[in-house]
Structure formats: C-alpha cells, structure tokens
Amino acid sequence: MKSSLRGYIASTFILGGILLSSIALADQIKVNVNGMVCGFCAQGIKKKLEKTGLVDKIKVDLESKIVSFSTLPGKEFNDEAITKLITDAGYTVVKITKEKP
Ligand SMILES: [Cu+2]
C-alpha cells in the first residue's frame, strides 16, 4: 500500500513535470556572433534559423553583432545546436544568453 502510494505520488510529479515543460514559455535567446559584416550575413543567418522551424521573431543587429530570436512554444533549441548552426554558416559564437520572458 505504502509503495503504491509512493509510486502514485512519483508518477504525479513526473506527469506534472511533463505538462509544465510542454506549456513552458518560449525562451528569449541572444547570441553574440563574430564575423557578420553586412546585410547578406544577416539574411543568411536569418534564413538558416527560419529553416530549423524552432524559432521566430528573428532579429540580426549588425552593429551590436547580436542575433536574437525566441523559441516557439514547446520547442527546444539548445546551445550546442545554436552554436553548430552559426559555426556551420561560417561565423563564430561568442556568447549565448537565454532568458524567460
Ligand atoms: Cu556579409
């Protein structure tokens, strides 16, 4: 009886965790990128990000060298994947900042 109750409580927590993470708010992500010098760089990065289908509200600021976007609800775009995408495009990731809005 006791162990089944414990199991019930544990599964409730797990289920709650899954539900919470699926309705989690989108991440606001800022990436400091080196190597972007013109509008073509900006467009190229923007297009690659759009292609992932994971993000929206993509902005590329050449002056501050910051690429910012937010993840779509329920989508996860981790630092490794972000770094790979930018690096493969020929630029260098300096820093990634994530914040919940
Ligand atoms: Cu360029």
Side-chain angles (χ1 to χ4, degrees):
M1 178 60 196
K2 256 189 184 168
S3 67
S4 71
L5 181 65
R6 208 177 303 153
Y8 172 75
I9 291 169
S11 58
T12 304
F13 268 102
I14 292 164
L15 233 136
I18 292 166
L19 282 175
L20 269 180
S21 61
S22 67
I23 58 162
L25 287 166
D27 281 328
Q28 297 279 93
I29 300 175
K30 274 186 190 172
V31 189
N32 292 67
V33 179
N34 265 354
M36 301 187 298
V37 288
C38 71
F40 291 107
C41 301
Q43 274 305 314
I45 288 178
K46 207 174 168 191
K47 279 207 176 126
K48 277 183 186 282
L49 284 167
E50 276 165 2
K51 258 192 184 173
T52 64
L54 300 172
V55 299
D56 67 353
K57 297 181 192 129
I58 305 159
K59 273 188 219 148
V60 180
D61 187 337
L62 288 174
E63 211 154 296
S64 56
K65 297 176 184 169
I66 289 174
V67 178
S68 61
F69 49 86
S70 51
T71 53
L72 291 166
K75 303 276 185 186
E76 168 100 38
F77 195 20
N78 65 37
D79 290 8
E80 289 76 27
I82 295 168
T83 305
K84 190 181 184 320
L85 183 141
I86 306 266
T87 307
D88 286 354
Y91 308 98
T92 311
V93 172
V94 180
K95 195 175 82 175
I96 298 173
T97 320
K98 267 186 197 182
E99 52 191 54
K100 302 275 179 192

